[in-house]
Amino acid sequence: MPLCNHKNMSGNAKLLHENLWESDPELMDLIRKEKKRQVHGLEMIASENFTSLSVLQCLGSCLHNKYSEGLPGQRYYGGNEFIDEIELLAQKRALEAYRLNPEEWGCNVQPYSGSPANFAVYTGLIEPHGRIMGLDLPDGGHLTHGFMTATKKISATSIFFESMPYKVDPVTGLIDYDKLEESAKNFKPKIIIAGISCYSRCLDYKRFRQIADANGAFLFADMAHISGLVAAGVIPSPFEYADVVSTTTHKSLRGPRAGVIFFRKGVRSVKPNGDKVMYDLEAKINQAVFPGIQGGPHNHAIAGIATCMLQARTPEFKDYQTQIIRNAQALCKGLLERGYSISTGGTDVHLVLVDLRPAGITGARAEYVLEEISIACNKNTVPGDKSALNPSGIRLGTPALTTRGLVESDMTHVVDFIDRGLKLSKEITAVSGPKLVDFKRVLHEDPTLNAKVQALKEEVQTYSAKFPMPGYEEF
């Protein structure tokens, strides 16, 4: 609320105290349109979620105003008495959310997001041009795990470090751990990354650990997508085996757009003579985050981390994570029954990767037509794809739908909407031909096809609007 009546204020004071809808109605109108889109659509992008009101309140708080470079008790600015307490609380709650002993684990809650968090890990653990191995992007890995093509280094990770990908079996879609082990023996990486952005099965962290130990490598688990599931204990945890674990906090964890790095402390190994080899990761990672990569931390986001980690310890959060998996499996079952091909044949987690090659549909056309009927997903590579720019599949996730209260029975309706949308894409392609630009033109300009798209869109929007949306009422 304004501190006083801004009608009697000076010009500058008026600027400072006006509501957004008063000072910038053009922007407010766009925000309201986006809120309407979210409420009236089915959000199925696996890396998105709808955060809680308490997290949004942190993000819009006075904490945004404060500069606090450095760590609690070691700041480069004054005035951080309460900022220090908030960051320490976020660290404490992050360890508690994953049931970690503070004598064995520490964490840094300052990363702005997942990508800088991962780059900080590499920067702290290995020298430039040090060797890393991660799951290849077309096989379900992430850009920050070292993705490059035959002609170009795409990710900064591949520019500054030497990367060799490991792959999935092209038939089963499952990670080929035997080939990973063989490649690691030859490549001798300093870091092996156990992490995914589009792989629908639980990872075998024990096997990763064995391969890392055989090559003297650090095991780095990137649990960005599955961190909520891990916190709830509904899938295996990487913490038993990993040296370092990173995560975003805005995906299944349902917090602010930020990142966290967890690192081992204490004894790393014992030599044959009994001497202990201690972990020295804390200072390396903290210094890599700041001053190595980032400047002042986003204190409003750190407060959001603190409150989402508190939520992650509740029975309700565990129920929510359990429902995410149930919904994903119901979605998967429904798509299989409609004749669609699912990479790996199913899912253990929050996402489903649909291989559209047997259906004769490209990922780009599928993504576009689904967006036109108010279902948000993303085109995605499937095992065997040659280009990340022209993928053959779509990735579907259930965290955001589950946040809004959808359950297994609702997935039947969702599957029906998706199926009808994809069948429409084939109708449109039959008229437009193979080019995406022509596909988009025909979708909008052919009166019969556009009418079908609009009718299905209205069905989806009417259905979606029945479910509640967390956050502020108006925006």
Side-chain angles (χ1 to χ4, degrees):
M1 292 289 291
L3 296 178
C4 54
N5 187 343
H6 60 248
K7 290 181 181 178
N8 301 319
M9 293 180 182
S10 66
N12 184 56
K14 186 170 181 286
L15 283 177
L16 291 173
H17 292 284
E18 273 189 321
N19 292 302
L20 179 63
W21 48 89
E22 297 169 315
S23 66
D24 195 343
E26 180 182 11
L27 178 58
M28 188 66 211
D29 182 59
L30 289 171
I31 293 173
R32 283 175 170 150
K33 286 178 178 177
E34 170 58 16
K35 179 63 179 283
K36 183 178 179 181
R37 184 197 68 82
Q38 292 182 15
V39 170
H40 289 84
L42 296 174
E43 180 53 70
M44 301 192 71
I45 295 174
S47 51
E48 292 190 13
N49 209 334
F50 301 118
T51 196
S52 64
L53 177 60
S54 61
V55 168
L56 292 177
Q57 288 169 336
C58 291
L59 296 177
S61 70
C62 64
L63 301 177
H64 175 272
N65 299 332
K66 189 71 193 88
Y67 243 116
S68 52
E69 291 178 350
L71 291 166
Q74 306 169 45
R75 304 290 190 181
Y76 286 75
Y77 292 83
N80 279 292
E81 174 187 356
F82 302 111
I83 295 297
D84 281 2
E85 289 189 37
I86 289 168
E87 185 164 340
L88 290 171
L89 182 64
Q91 292 174 1
K92 174 177 175 289
R93 288 180 175 177
L95 295 179
E96 290 172 345
Y98 294 97
R99 300 165 292 280
L100 302 177
N101 183 344
E103 299 297 316
E104 298 174 352
W105 286 91
C107 66
N108 188 305
V109 295
Q110 293 189 9
Y112 297 151
S113 197
S115 292
N118 288 356
F119 202 83
V121 172
Y122 308 135
T123 302
L125 266 57
I126 56 177
E127 297 293 323
H129 301 291
R131 295 183 174 188
I132 65 174
M133 289 186 70
L135 182 61
D136 206 6
L137 181 75
D139 293 40
H142 191 260
L143 279 168
T144 60
H145 299 168
F147 180 60
M148 56 189 291
T149 69
T151 58
K152 188 176 181 181
K153 293 187 174 183
I154 305 296
S155 168
T157 307
S158 65
I159 295 172
F160 294 103
F161 305 98
E162 304 299 323
S163 63
M164 174 183 279
Y166 56 89
K167 308 284 288 181
V168 300
D169 182 288
V171 176
T172 65
L174 299 171
I175 291 172
D176 192 328
Y177 290 97
D178 291 337
K179 283 192 176 179
L180 163 58
E181 184 174 19
E182 184 180 340
S183 296
K185 285 180 182 178
N186 294 324
F187 188 60
K188 293 295 180 187
K190 293 297 182 183
I191 296 176
I192 295 177
I193 306 154
I196 60 96
S197 69
C198 191
Y199 182 75
S200 61
R201 297 298 184 176
C202 293
L203 298 179
D204 187 346
Y205 295 113
K206 183 177 181 180
R207 185 73 187 276
F208 273 112
R209 178 77 263 170
Q210 290 168 347
I211 297 170
D213 286 344
N215 293 279
F218 288 108
L219 178 57
F220 167 38
D222 177 355
M223 65 170 188
H225 264 271
I226 58 171
S227 56
L229 304 172
V230 172
V234 296
I235 64 169
S237 169
F239 287 100
E240 182 179 354
Y241 298 103
D243 300 298
V244 178
V245 178
S246 74
T247 185
T248 55
T249 54
H250 56 272
K251 297 186 175 87
S252 59
L253 194 58
R254 205 167 60 182
R257 297 191 65 88
V260 180
I261 303 170
F262 299 87
F263 45 80
R264 287 266 190 183
K265 297 164 64 175
V267 179
R268 182 180 184 188
S269 61
V270 179
K271 294 180 178 179
N273 65 1
D275 290 346
K276 295 179 179 178
V277 179
M278 307 300 288
Y279 277 106
D280 61 351
L281 303 178
E282 183 169 9
K284 289 180 176 179
I285 287 176
N286 285 340
Q287 289 168 21
V289 174
F290 173 82
I293 292 175
Q294 299 182 176
H298 296 170
N299 296 305
H300 57 308
I302 290 172
I305 292 171
T307 200
C308 89
M309 292 295 183
L310 182 66
Q311 292 175 9
R313 298 178 62 199
T314 63
E316 293 83 0
F317 187 81
K318 182 170 184 176
D319 292 342
Y320 163 65
Q321 298 296 331
T322 301
Q323 190 63 53
I324 286 176
I325 295 176
R326 287 176 178 165
N327 284 349
Q329 291 175 342
L331 174 69
C332 182
K333 181 175 181 289
L335 290 168
L336 286 169
E337 289 172 350
R338 298 285 179 122
Y340 293 98
S341 176
I342 305 297
S343 182
T344 78
T347 183
D348 301 323
V349 289
H350 65 299
L351 64 84
V352 174
L353 178 59
V354 186
D355 183 348
L356 293 171
R357 288 174 296 191
I361 305 168
T362 68
R365 281 203 264 285
E367 177 191 78
Y368 190 80
V369 76
L370 291 178
E371 183 172 5
E372 286 297 307
I373 63 168
S374 295
I375 298 176
C377 70
N378 64 278
K379 57 183 178 293
N380 211 96
T381 54
V382 295
D385 268 346
K386 304 300 181 186
S387 171
L389 299 176
N390 187 29
S392 302
I394 53 172
R395 182 183 66 167
L396 302 168
T398 56
L401 295 186
T402 310
T403 290
R404 295 188 65 187
L406 278 78
V407 295
E408 294 100 316
S409 58
D410 299 303
M411 292 302 109
T412 303
H413 298 284
V414 173
V415 167
D416 183 60
F417 291 141
I418 292 170
D419 180 43
R420 290 161 64 191
L422 294 178
K423 285 175 178 173
L424 261 178
S425 77
K426 295 194 75 172
E427 281 190 58
I428 296 165
T429 301
V431 176
S432 71
K435 291 185 178 180
L436 183 60
V437 63
D438 293 329
F439 179 87
K440 294 179 179 180
R441 177 182 54 79
V442 169
L443 185 154
H444 291 287
E445 295 180 3
D446 185 293
T448 302
L449 292 171
N450 185 256
K452 289 183 179 182
V453 169
Q454 294 305 317
L456 183 51
K457 178 178 183 176
E458 186 175 341
E459 279 190 61
V460 172
Q461 291 188 343
T462 300
Y463 185 77
S464 179
K466 296 191 303 182
F467 297 93
M469 174 70 72
Y472 297 108
E473 182 103 6
E474 283 203 51
F475 58 94

